[in-house]
Amino acid sequence: MTRWGQLMSVLAVALFGCSDRTVVDSGARERVHVDPVPDHVDPYARPPGAHTSVVVAMNRAAPPPDTTQPGSGFTVSSPEATRTANGYRIQFPTRSPVPTPVIHNGRLIVSGGFNSREIYAYEAKTGRAVWGQSLSDDGPSNAACEGELCVFNSESCTTFAVNAKTGKTIWAWWLGDPQTSAPTIANGLAFASYPAYQPPATEQVELGTWSDPWGEPPPAQKAAATGTPSATHALAAFDLATGKPVWRRWLDGDVMSAPVAVDGFLYVSTFGGSVLKLDQKTGEIIYAVAMRATSAPVVVRDQGRESLFVTVRAEERRNETREAIVRADLGATRRTFRANAKAAPYLDGKVQRDTELAKAAQVDDSENGFSTVPAAAGATGAGAIVGVEAVSTMQRFQGSRVLVTADLVISTMGDEVIAVDRASGDVKWRHALTGSTSTEGGHLGTAPLLAGTEVVVATLAGNILRLEAATGKLVAQYKAGMKLRSQPVVHEGWIYAGSEDGTLIAINTGNRALTGWPTWGGDSGRTAVR
């Protein structure tokens, strides 16, 4: 079996909580061993020659944890906006990286930065402060909003749901330190991931031999024998209105960027490189495959077909890290295409370790109390897959996440924005970006978004680009004058972006046709499909 074909072991139903606050569920126990799942049942378009072998520990009637929901906030004053020639700017006090904001019901809701405990709301078009909240934990992520609620994670342990009108905390779960992804909302549920138990290196059990893991830590797997890592993180679903836990499943690493909700399913890439599909309501794992994924997945379900688009590590030459865009269709035994396989020093942990990004991340981490990266973060695995090894860079990692629109798949792959044909993978256009992925570090541009008929990308060089989606032609650019690494949002002619030095930039383009991307991934399900 090739490395592409190896299936990770998923130990389902994680413990809610971690560290000294661990809560152990109780309930019915059942171990299900299916090996292999027949092709007509397995809905994953597997790489050629891959087999599917799944061991799942299930709890069909687990009650929610009998604990309080710690996590709180109190009202604080908000930094004032400063007028610019084409909009406004807001400088946050910590001057630390600001993740992607969200526009919801006419308001801009934004984290105060990685080293901040604050989250703020402003009138989107005027920059007038509406509310500010100081939280019990630091490092608020980008938010997902629906109705009256906005949900976000904090780097330091807690998933919050706040009232979008007032900022008041409605519910919050202290889950695990650190949380390095953002949550997702779909069908009345909020989905979030967090670090859970990490078994010691000496605790090694063959795949499938353990009999009753319920209420006990998960066993480590023999990587040499099975090709699968230990279960270290959990993915959980909460009732959006009340915060009541619904289900939880084990993962081999934290979720990359955020879960992705499409129809009734949930898709995730992990920092372990695995891709999973689960049922939103029950958490049932439909598939879990080791793909060496380097970005959150994008899934298109139409005309009776399900297509998965994701970028992956694709080493083809000795000592050279490479990346490619992959499309795999439901039920197929071969990938539809692997496109634009290219050298990817921006994913090479050895290269990235000495970059400006890595050095800045050490400072950001230290200011949040991390003298060294905690083992619970899973940074070693993240470094091996996507080249980031700090809590701050894991939390805001967005990678080469693709945008699917019409007949194109568009991605920012390190030093270029590239569009390939959705059916064949043939390259349609490229737009080169300035800078050095080997010295400055990471990607030179953000994950692309679609606004009207244009693609918008913010760059590390400090520009926001508007490209014609069909051709890649540069339509306009705006000079922000500061480093940008987080995907902007675009709504009713305005572009909003968070910078690396703690600034929120709002630009009025004057073109109301530029709209339709109010949050990371484009919507609360993070679908990136238009």
Side-chain angles (χ1 to χ4, degrees):
M1 185 183 299
T2 65
R3 295 180 71 182
W4 267 78
Q6 293 170 340
L7 173 70
M8 81 164 209
S9 169
V10 180
L11 306 177
V13 192
L15 307 179
F16 262 97
C18 62
S19 186
D20 59 343
R21 306 196 195 188
T22 297
V23 177
V24 179
D25 294 322
S26 60
R29 302 163 172 81
E30 181 180 9
R31 184 170 66 109
V32 178
H33 184 194
V34 184
D35 184 16
V37 178
D39 286 346
H40 69 276
V41 175
D42 177 16
Y44 180 63
R46 298 182 307 264
H51 283 281
T52 303
S53 178
V54 182
V55 176
V56 181
M58 294 169 47
N59 182 350
R60 293 181 296 182
D66 55 349
T67 184
T68 58
Q69 298 179 19
S72 61
F74 60 87
T75 300
V76 294
S77 59
S78 304
E80 293 185 1
T82 301
R83 294 288 125 202
T84 63
N86 56 4
Y88 61 86
R89 292 186 179 186
I90 303 169
Q91 178 66 66
F92 299 117
T94 63
R95 296 183 178 272
S96 59
V98 175
T100 301
V102 58
I103 304 299
H104 184 63
N105 292 337
R107 291 180 176 177
L108 166 74
I109 299 173
V110 60
S111 163
F114 180 78
N115 296 139
S116 166
R117 287 176 177 253
E118 282 73 46
I119 188 164
Y120 304 101
Y122 296 85
E123 289 182 353
K125 294 183 180 180
T126 67
R128 186 185 72 83
V130 178
W131 54 257
Q133 285 284 307
S134 184
L135 306 167
S136 52
D137 287 318
D138 49 25
S141 71
N142 67 73
C145 300
E146 187 171 288
E148 293 188 352
L149 292 181
C150 289
V151 182
F152 54 90
N153 294 339
S154 68
E155 166 274 305
S156 184
C157 324
T158 304
T159 296
F160 289 89
V162 303
N163 185 288
K165 294 181 178 179
T166 65
K168 179 182 178 182
T169 298
I170 304 303
W171 57 264
W173 281 107
W174 192 100
L175 294 174
D177 187 8
Q179 287 182 281
T180 60
S181 65
T184 292
I185 294 173
N187 295 319
L189 296 173
F191 305 96
S193 61
Y194 59 95
Y197 175 81
Q198 288 206 19
T202 56
E203 183 185 348
Q204 294 191 341
V205 181
E206 291 288 355
L207 179 66
T209 60
W210 53 294
S211 59
D212 187 10
W214 192 246
E216 298 295 331
Q221 306 299 325
K222 288 186 177 179
T226 66
T228 57
S230 303
T232 60
H233 287 69
L235 175 65
F238 304 87
D239 181 84
L240 178 60
T242 66
K244 178 181 178 181
V246 177
W247 55 257
R248 43 275 200 213
R249 295 290 182 263
W250 283 108
L251 300 174
D252 66 332
D254 208 349
V255 169
M256 200 177 291
S257 299
V260 178
V262 181
D263 295 338
F265 298 101
L266 193 70
Y267 303 80
V268 299
S269 294
T270 74
F271 279 114
S274 303
V275 177
L276 295 85
K277 175 183 178 180
L278 306 94
D279 184 276
Q280 288 180 17
K281 291 183 179 180
T282 66
E284 176 189 359
I285 298 168
I286 310 301
Y287 63 70
V289 180
M291 291 190 70
R292 311 184 79 207
T294 57
S295 64
V298 174
V299 175
V300 178
R301 291 168 53 85
D302 61 3
Q303 298 180 350
R305 173 180 291 174
E306 176 175 303
S307 299
L308 169 71
F309 299 87
V310 69
T311 54
V312 300
R313 285 179 71 103
E315 280 90 346
E316 293 177 336
R317 301 172 185 173
R318 190 173 183 179
N319 298 324
E320 182 182 54
T321 299
R322 295 169 67 81
E323 186 181 41
I325 302 170
V326 165
R327 171 180 169 175
D329 290 342
L330 180 143
T333 56
R334 295 181 180 274
R335 293 169 302 210
T336 303
F337 63 69
R338 189 181 71 163
N340 199 46
K342 59 175 287 184
Y346 51 91
L347 298 178
D348 189 326
K350 294 180 181 179
V351 173
Q352 293 299 304
R353 205 164 289 145
D354 296 324
T355 62
E356 294 175 12
L357 174 61
K359 294 172 183 176
Q362 291 177 352
V363 175
D364 289 333
D365 277 17
S366 67
E367 291 184 359
N368 276 21
F370 298 118
S371 57
T372 60
V373 179
T380 301
I385 295 295
V386 295
V388 297
E389 299 178 324
V391 175
S392 59
T393 47
M394 289 177 68
Q395 188 199 56
R396 65 185 191 274
F397 180 80
Q398 299 178 3
S400 304
R401 210 259 172 126
V402 307
L403 159 70
V404 178
T405 176
D407 59 351
L408 295 176
V409 178
I410 306 171
S411 173
T412 301
M413 299 181 72
D415 58 0
E416 65 177 349
V417 185
I418 182 167
V420 303
D421 184 85
R422 176 172 162 179
S424 67
D426 294 339
V427 175
K428 293 300 183 181
W429 57 257
R430 302 176 187 269
H431 182 91
L433 302 174
T434 60
S436 170
T437 62
S438 297
T439 57
E440 295 174 284
H443 291 62
L444 301 181
T446 62
L449 63 87
L450 189 73
T453 60
E454 296 178 13
V455 170
V456 177
V457 173
T459 73
L460 187 59
N463 299 315
I464 298 176
L465 310 179
R466 290 169 50 188
L467 307 175
E468 190 175 86
T471 65
K473 178 183 177 181
L474 180 65
V475 177
Q477 68 174 329
Y478 307 91
K479 295 185 181 299
M482 55 195 68
K483 294 181 178 181
L484 305 173
R485 290 189 183 272
S486 293
Q487 185 181 69
V489 295
V490 183
H491 187 64
E492 294 183 349
W494 284 72
I495 301 174
Y496 306 87
S499 79
E500 291 292 281
D501 72 349
T503 305
L504 187 284
I505 303 157
I507 299 170
N508 183 3
T509 69
N511 180 0
R512 289 180 61 87
L514 289 177
T515 193
W517 202 278
T519 189
W520 190 86
D523 48 52
S524 59
R526 319 294 199 179
T527 60
V529 177
R530 289 292 183 272

